Amino acid sequence: GAVVSQHPSRVICKSGTSVKIECRSLDFQATTMFWYRQFPKKSLMLMATSNEGSKATYEQGVEKDKFLINHASLTLSTLTVTSAHPEDSSFYICSTTPGKQASYNEQFFGPGTRLTVL
Amino acid sequence: DAKTTQPTSMDCAEGRAANLPCNHSTISGNEYVYWYRQIHSQGPQYIIHGLKNNETNEMASLIITEDRKSSTLILPHATLRDTAVYYCIVRGYNYGQNFVFGPGTRLSVLP
C-alpha cells in the first residue's frame, strides 16, 4: 500500500511553545490530507481537512488559529500547534488518499506523532 | 457520529479464527464497509473493504449480509500480532471523504 510518513514521531515541549508536525505522502500525490487527534483510550477524531493550495476546513470545535494547517505541495501538509498547552497533549495522525481516481478510495494513515506538552 | 456499532472487546485464542461483527443498519446504497485496525501507538492500518460481495485478501475476509446491515471481519488464523483495536467504518465512494471512527473492538489474541 501507499506510504505516508510523519515527522517527528514524538515531541515533548514546554507549555506556550509551538510545534510543527509534518505529514508526507511518499509515493503519490495527495490533493487532500486529513488530520486526526486521538486521546488516550479514545478513538480518532477528525480535526481538519487539508486541501493543496487552499485553506483547510476545520471540524466544529477545532480552533483554526491554534491548529494551523499548511498544504503547500501535493506531498506535504503541516500541522502547527501554536502556544501548546498540556491539554493539547495527544496522538496526532494524518491520512490521505492517492490522486483523484475513484479506485483509490482507501485512506492511508501515517504512523502518528505523539505530542506531550509539559 | 459513527454509523456502526461493534462490541467493545473480544478475545480469541492464538491460531483460531477471529470473527469480528459490525452492525451498520443505516448504510445507504453507495456506502462501502471498511475495516481498519490500530495497533497500540501506531496509525490505523487498512485491512479490507467491500460493497455487497464478500471479499478476501491476504489479511482477512469480509462477509457482508445480503441486506448489508451487518458484516463480519474474519482473521482466519489469529496471531499475537493481531492484537489491536479493529474499526468498522461506513463511507461513501466519493473522493475526499474522511473516515468517521467509532470506538472499535479491542481484540486480544491470547496464547
Side-chain angles (χ1 to χ4, degrees), chain A residues 56-96:
Chain A
T57 303
Y58 291 81
E59 295 299 299
Q60 192 173 10
V62 178
E63 300 175 57
K64 62 180 181 180
D65 294 330
K66 181 169 182 62
F67 298 98
L68 301 178
I69 291 174
N70 184 282
H71 194 157
S73 78
L74 287 172
T75 59
L76 173 65
S77 176
T78 60
L79 168 68
T80 301
V81 183
T82 62
S83 187
H85 288 94
E87 57 266 29
D88 298 323
S89 297
S90 188
F91 193 49
Y92 291 87
I93 306 169
C94 69
S95 73
T96 188

Side-chain angles (χ1 to χ4, degrees), chain A residues 30-32 34 36 38 42-44 46 91 93 97-100 102-103 105-112 114, chain B residues 32 34 36 38 40-46 49 87 91-93 95-104 106:
Chain A
T31 306
T32 300
F34 302 96
Y36 295 82
Q38 185 176 32
K42 299 293 185 181
S43 191
L44 284 76
L46 180 68
F91 193 49
I93 306 169
T97 301
K100 285 191 174 183
S103 60
N105 61 349
E106 64 262 34
Q107 282 191 11
F108 298 98
F109 288 80
R114 184 160 303 283
Chain B
Y32 283 66
Y34 293 79
Y36 280 76
Q38 186 178 25
H40 182 62
S41 293
Q42 297 182 23
Q45 176 190 21
Y46 168 79
H49 76 280
Y87 298 100
R91 174 180 173 265
Y93 202 59
Y95 176 83
Q97 287 191 18
N98 66 289
F99 286 78
V100 178
F101 285 81
R106 183 171 298 276

